[in-house]
Amino acid sequence: MYKVYFITFGCKVSQYETELLKSCFAEAGFVPADSSADADAVVVNSCTVTGSGDNKSVYAVRKLRRELPGAVIVLTGCMPQASPEAALKVAEADIVTGTKDRAKLPSLVLDVLADRRRIIDISPLSRDETFEEIAYSPTDSHTRAFVKIQDGCECYCSYCMIPYARGRFRSKPLADLAREAEMLAAAGRKELVLTGINIAFYGCREGKRLADAVELCCRTDGIERVRLGSIEPEMMLPEDLDRLAALPEFCPQFHLSLQSGCAETLKRMNRRYTPEEYASLTEQIRSRFPYASFTTDIMVGFPGETEQEFSESMAFAERIGFAKIHVFQYSPRKGTPAAKMPQIPASVKHGRADRMKALGDRLARSYMEGLVGRTVPVLFEREKSEDFHQGHAPDYTLIKISRKNSKKSLRNEIFYVTIEGVGEDCCFGTLTEAPAE
Ligand code: SF4
């Protein structure tokens, strides 16, 4: 039996697609390897969102080739799809494929294992591409499952290669989503996270809304929580928020991709909202979800970002009061408009990243301190330590309770916890009765 190992770069969509690939390889008779050193084949699922994403994937392939001369090395995903010429130059990869026809990857690996040769199979994405459905069964036993409901993006933010790697907007049909949600519930998943390249545009070609997908998942027997992955702010309309607010299973954690809190920087990024529109959306959300948390991605060092623009971005992040900020330093991606703009020195980018991260840490702490005294339902997950049970609240705060008073496993169950204190990246509390309605 051949062993396969996976290395994933990039976003939740990449991670979800790796889960699908794992299932496809298991179907084809492969078993998971404990490490790359132990594998007959290693699949590198690449990312291309920035230039550094590309470099990491290529570096990984080259390192694997040096360390594992006999293994089949696969380079797949966004990087070869967006930049086939660059991917073809990665001669260390035995197989190079893009974002299409992923289900046939195990058979390509078997071909190369049987008859050592190089396979290049990158099909261009057509204008009438449909959502690629890959049947799978979960290969892990987690409480939470990601479900990809959407692919493609046509927004063309000036720094991003994703539209070239993923093609046009397309959505998982509701009937397929219903089947997947039922399958995941039957496999013991209690929480679904709806994800995609740009889920705000879910159903835009079919006259559907993201709220349709959320409602369907919330109605699935056995699913107790549904949350959204990262979302672009401009497509969340008041009527969608009203529909989400009517769903008790919906978790009010909003990862609204900001990128910059400065109007001028946003314009150069070709983002489609102003800071004021973003702030107004958070107010509309707060009026419907008083316990909503806001998390986001912020890019620093975008071409032309002045100290004044960066300060505006910092001040805006403070104004929103994010519960968590993922900070990225801009790295130029060849083929995008931003790569041709005047660049910021690396030392300035590092300094700004450090300052934004420090702000993010301070805001996260202050958000968690604001939770002390509240009682929240926690969906408990796999025990990771001898000392604590842990799980997440609806707003995605990590909650830990001591195992001293409760030895039995709480895994995959929802219990109420009163929050009593704050740690580095979590809140601590004790089990309590459900509050009276
Ligand atoms: S919305 Fe912008 S950043 Fe996000 S995938 Fe589309 S082009 Fe890239």
Side-chain angles (χ1 to χ4, degrees), residues 371-390:
L371 299 176
V372 173
R374 269 185 53 203
T375 295
V376 292
V378 175
L379 175 55
F380 283 89
E381 293 152 16
R382 192 169 38 186
E383 273 85 22
K384 288 191 180 150
S385 98
E386 300 275 297
D387 302 326
F388 296 102
H389 299 285
Q390 71 170 56

Side-chain angles (χ1 to χ4, degrees), residues 296-416:
T296 200
D297 306 309
I298 296 184
M299 186 186 288
V300 300
F302 187 75
E305 185 186 61
T306 62
E307 184 56 31
Q308 169 63 25
E309 290 183 352
F310 175 69
S311 302
E312 282 178 36
S313 203
M314 293 268 283
F316 186 77
E318 178 123 35
R319 171 176 164 196
I320 300 298
F322 289 110
K324 185 162 191 152
I325 304 177
H326 290 116
V327 179
F328 298 90
Q329 288 181 48
Y330 169 79
S331 71
R333 185 64 184 78
K334 207 170 148 213
T336 58
K340 297 194 192 111
M341 298 176 188
Q343 304 293 312
I344 301 276
S347 58
V348 175
K349 284 195 235 178
H350 295 326
R352 288 183 187 166
D354 288 346
R355 284 153 69 195
M356 190 62 86
K357 278 184 195 150
L359 172 64
D361 290 347
R362 178 162 63 75
L363 293 178
R365 177 134 198 123
S366 142
Y367 176 80
M368 289 192 293
E369 282 169 357
L371 299 176
V372 173
R374 269 185 53 203
T375 295
V376 292
V378 175
L379 175 55
F380 283 89
E381 293 152 16
R382 192 169 38 186
E383 273 85 22
K384 288 191 180 150
S385 98
E386 300 275 297
D387 302 326
F388 296 102
H389 299 285
Q390 71 170 56
H392 285 85
D395 66 355
Y396 208 60
T397 302
L398 178 62
I399 309 281
K400 293 186 180 178
I401 64 163
S402 168
R403 296 184 70 165
K404 269 195 207 128
N405 305 324
S406 168
K407 296 269 185 241
K408 77 171 177 67
S409 173
L410 307 180
R411 184 158 182 243
N412 225 9
E413 300 290 338
I414 293 179
F415 292 98
Y416 280 84

